[in-house]
């Protein structure tokens, strides 16, 4: 893969050359939730049908080399999106175009500038430096972060009165998210110093970071792949993925192996929507909500709907809630096409007074997320009906195997299909089509 990393603090405005993909992360798609909060998220439109953005088996060697290279590309695409994707672009633009922030910087009012920055960030950025007269004047956030991006504040005359340096993701979140997506152990180094490891007991050293090298720990064999990036504010770092042999799903051809690895990423994204820490936190909050409990206990659909809308407004990443009391449906609030149902119960004094099914991701959000992480075309079907797809409507006529190849508009695709759960119950079938079969 031929990817580039912007200079520290640089703005990477270009889109990536083939086969680097346009990816978004998780937080603003309708729904969006996961065990490690894959952040940020956008609603970028799908790319064209030429397959130019799809991860491909573009490396020589056997199955392990192809699979580890695929996972490496996923991690690199994630990094590049953090540095140059729409979430950070929008955040920078909001800051640069804020008259109130510009006025506060001109006036030298640090307190006002801090208040304005906090109001504008909306949880999109984890670090902000604001420089005035060439010196650090204000900073927000302390978490070690990566992929810094720069901006500038200008007055009405077009003169630069302040410079911005921001980051949209912490090193911890990035490492955990990549581990969640790929199943790899992730280690980040700045020179010889370890910044973060998802498994410190492995005791990986910077010298171990040679692409394609092998590392042994706890009686297990890992393949290591790595790539370069930057930490905040300006230091070169190395990101390493350690992949065990159990993660490798070998196909008969490199294209099949690549599809198997991409399929694993897609299934991991789904599992993150239906289980894990985020899901447990949301269930606990809903099950302990006094407003929700009172409404259901009184069998009041209006009050119950109000409590559910309260969950939506609290940014709990909930997209639909269905409440039953016994066999009676009390309310069903949210979008029509939802997946990954999560089940909870409401109890008082040890007695169950109602049950609910909720979800933190809808079909459209999941489809966009997988497409943007992997470049695969994604089709979601229920029975013989196609609910949505990144391909045009005529793709509904395609007969898609669980594994294999298909031709669409004269192009060959490798197919990877798997089953998931619709909301509130029933099967859905996800099919991934990767160009270049």
């Amino acid at each position: 893969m031929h990817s580039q990393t912007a200079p520290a603090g640089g703005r990477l405005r270009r889109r990536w050359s083939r086969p680097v993909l346009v990816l978004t992360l998780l937080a603003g798609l309708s729904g969006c939730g996961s065990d490690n909060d894959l952040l940020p998220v956008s609603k970028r439109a799908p790319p064209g049908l030429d397959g130019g953005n799809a991860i491909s088996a573009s490396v020589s060697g056997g199955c392990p080399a192809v699979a580890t290279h695929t996972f490496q590309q996923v991690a690199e695409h994630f990094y590049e999106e953090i540095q140059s994707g729409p979430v950070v672009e929008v955040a920078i633009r909001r800051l640069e175009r804020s008259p109130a922030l510009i006025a506060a910087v001109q006036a030298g009012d640090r307190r006002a500038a801090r208040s304005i920055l906090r109001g504008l960030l909306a949880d999109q950025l984890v670090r902000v430096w604001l420089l005035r007269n060439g010196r650090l004047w204000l900073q927000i956030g302390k978490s070690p972060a990566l992929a810094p991006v720069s901006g500038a504040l200008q007055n009405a005359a077009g003169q630069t009165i302040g410079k911005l340096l921001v980051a949209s993701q912490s090193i911890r979140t990035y490492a955990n998210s990549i581990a969640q997506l790929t199943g790899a152990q992730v280690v980040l180094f700045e020179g010889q110093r370890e910044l973060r490891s998802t498994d410190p007991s492995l005791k990986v050293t910077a010298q171990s970071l040679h692409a394609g090298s092998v590392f042994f720990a706890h009686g297990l064999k890992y393949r290591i792949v790595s790539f370069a990036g930057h930490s905040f504010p300006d230091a070169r770092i190395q990101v390493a993925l350690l992949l065990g042999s159990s993660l490798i799903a070998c196909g008969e051809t490199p294209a099949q192996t690549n599809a198997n690895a991409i399929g694993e990423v897609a299934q991991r994204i789904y599992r993150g929507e239906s289980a894990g820490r985020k899901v447990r936190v949301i269930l606990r909050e809903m099950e302990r909500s006094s407003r929700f409990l009172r409404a259901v206990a009184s069998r009041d659909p209006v009050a119950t709907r109000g409590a559910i809308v309260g969950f939506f407004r609290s940014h709990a990443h909930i997209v639909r809630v269905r409440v039953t009391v016994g066999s009676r449906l009390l309310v069903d609030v949210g979008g029509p096409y939802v997946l990954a149902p999560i089940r909870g119960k409401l109890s008082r004094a040890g007695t169950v007074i109602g049950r609910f099914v909720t979800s933190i991701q809808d079909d459209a959000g999941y489809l966009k997320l997988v497409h943007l992480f992997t470049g695969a075309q994604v089709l979601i079907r229920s029975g013989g009906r196609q609910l949505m797809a990144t391909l045009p409507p005529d793709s509904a006529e395609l007969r898609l195997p669980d594994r294999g190849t298909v031709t669409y508009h004269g192009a060959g695709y490798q197919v990877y299909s798997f089953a998931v759960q619709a909301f509130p119950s029933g099967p859905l079938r996800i099919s991934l089509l990767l160009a270049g079969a």
Side-chain angles (χ1 to χ4, degrees):
M1 180 170 111
H2 303 291
S3 63
Q4 299 179 18
T5 302
R11 190 83 65 85
L12 195 61
R13 291 280 186 188
R14 65 175 178 83
R15 287 296 170 247
W16 306 287
S17 58
R18 189 180 188 275
V20 179
L21 110 107
V22 180
L23 105 77
T24 61
L25 327 180
L26 211 82
L29 284 173
S30 58
C32 61
S34 69
D35 193 21
N36 293 305
D37 286 341
L38 303 178
L39 299 173
V41 172
S42 71
K43 295 184 179 180
R44 181 179 302 162
L49 302 182
D50 60 1
N53 287 324
I55 288 177
S56 63
S58 56
V59 65
S60 60
C63 166
V66 172
T68 52
H69 184 68
T70 298
F71 291 133
Q72 177 186 348
Q73 289 182 84
V74 170
E76 288 196 65
H77 298 161
F78 197 139
Y79 179 92
E80 293 186 10
E81 180 67 13
I82 293 166
Q83 188 173 57
S84 59
V87 169
V88 71
E89 290 282 352
V90 168
I92 280 283
R93 194 156 54 244
R94 290 178 68 197
L95 298 180
E96 290 177 331
R97 297 178 180 178
S98 169
L101 180 60
I102 291 170
V105 174
Q106 281 185 297
D109 189 339
R110 187 180 281 108
R111 182 175 181 179
R114 181 183 298 277
S115 176
I116 293 162
L117 278 172
R118 291 191 182 280
L120 288 172
L121 298 185
D123 300 324
Q124 290 181 319
L125 302 174
V126 296
R127 294 289 300 273
V128 179
W129 277 13
L130 202 166
L131 289 80
R132 188 168 178 263
N133 298 323
R135 295 184 177 182
L136 180 60
W137 184 66
L138 181 63
Q139 60 177 315
I140 294 179
K142 296 182 179 180
S143 299
L146 75 171
V149 181
S150 63
L153 298 175
Q154 296 182 334
N155 61 19
Q159 299 169 322
T160 298
I161 60 169
K163 293 186 177 180
L164 296 161
L165 192 64
V166 308
S168 65
Q169 187 126 121
S170 72
I171 285 175
R172 176 183 180 275
T173 296
Y174 176 79
N176 290 346
S177 297
I178 294 303
Q180 177 190 330
L181 284 171
T182 65
Q185 298 298 338
V186 182
V187 189
L188 288 86
F189 284 93
E190 179 183 310
Q192 301 299 311
R193 183 169 67 95
E194 181 184 291
L195 297 176
R196 182 76 187 179
S197 174
T198 55
D199 185 356
S201 71
L202 292 176
K203 301 188 183 305
V204 183
T205 64
Q207 288 80 6
S208 305
L209 308 187
H210 302 294
S213 65
V214 175
F215 183 81
F216 291 90
H218 308 314
L220 299 175
K221 176 182 176 181
Y222 296 89
R223 291 179 65 90
I224 299 179
V225 289
S226 64
F227 60 93
H230 284 89
S231 62
F232 187 97
D234 186 10
R236 191 167 180 82
I237 62 172
Q238 201 75 9
V239 181
L241 278 68
L242 282 73
L243 293 132
S245 58
S246 61
L247 299 176
I248 308 304
C250 294
E252 295 181 0
T253 66
Q256 290 175 353
T257 297
N258 179 67
N260 289 345
I262 293 298
E264 175 64 19
V265 171
Q267 291 184 86
R268 283 178 169 273
I269 292 173
Y270 175 83
R271 290 195 292 269
E273 312 291 5
S274 57
R277 182 184 59 84
K278 170 70 76 175
V279 170
R280 292 192 297 272
V281 168
I282 288 174
L283 278 180
R284 185 166 61 248
E285 290 179 354
M286 294 181 71
E287 290 175 339
R288 296 178 181 179
S289 167
S290 57
R291 182 183 179 186
F292 195 28
L293 281 164
R294 284 196 306 270
V296 175
S298 63
R299 311 295 196 263
D300 186 338
V302 174
T304 302
R305 180 180 293 272
I308 292 169
V309 171
F311 292 137
F312 294 158
R313 290 176 175 169
S314 70
H315 306 291
H317 302 309
I318 296 170
V319 295
R320 187 168 171 181
V321 183
R322 178 184 175 93
V323 181
T324 55
V325 177
S327 60
R328 173 193 169 195
L329 174 63
L330 189 61
V331 294
D332 192 341
V333 185
Y337 297 113
V338 179
L339 47 67
I342 305 159
R343 303 184 187 280
K345 61 183 178 181
L346 300 170
S347 303
R348 273 188 167 180
T351 300
V352 176
I353 60 172
R355 299 181 185 274
F356 65 91
V357 185
T358 189
S359 174
I360 60 176
Q361 187 61 281
D362 60 18
D363 292 6
Y366 177 81
L367 176 145
K368 291 174 184 177
L369 189 62
V370 173
H371 177 71
L372 293 167
F373 262 117
T374 67
Q377 303 297 342
V378 186
L379 303 91
I380 302 179
R381 294 178 175 180
S382 176
R385 184 165 63 106
Q386 185 158 293
L387 302 180
M388 56 188 65
T390 54
L391 292 171
D394 65 351
S395 63
E397 305 302 318
L398 287 172
R399 298 183 64 181
L400 301 175
D402 288 340
R403 306 288 185 275
T405 60
V406 68
T407 300
Y408 177 66
H409 287 192
Y413 291 86
Q414 195 75 37
V415 181
Y416 186 102
S417 302
F418 58 97
V420 299
Q421 287 292 306
F423 186 100
S425 62
L428 286 178
R429 189 167 184 257
I430 310 292
S431 293
L432 312 178
L433 275 64
L434 291 111

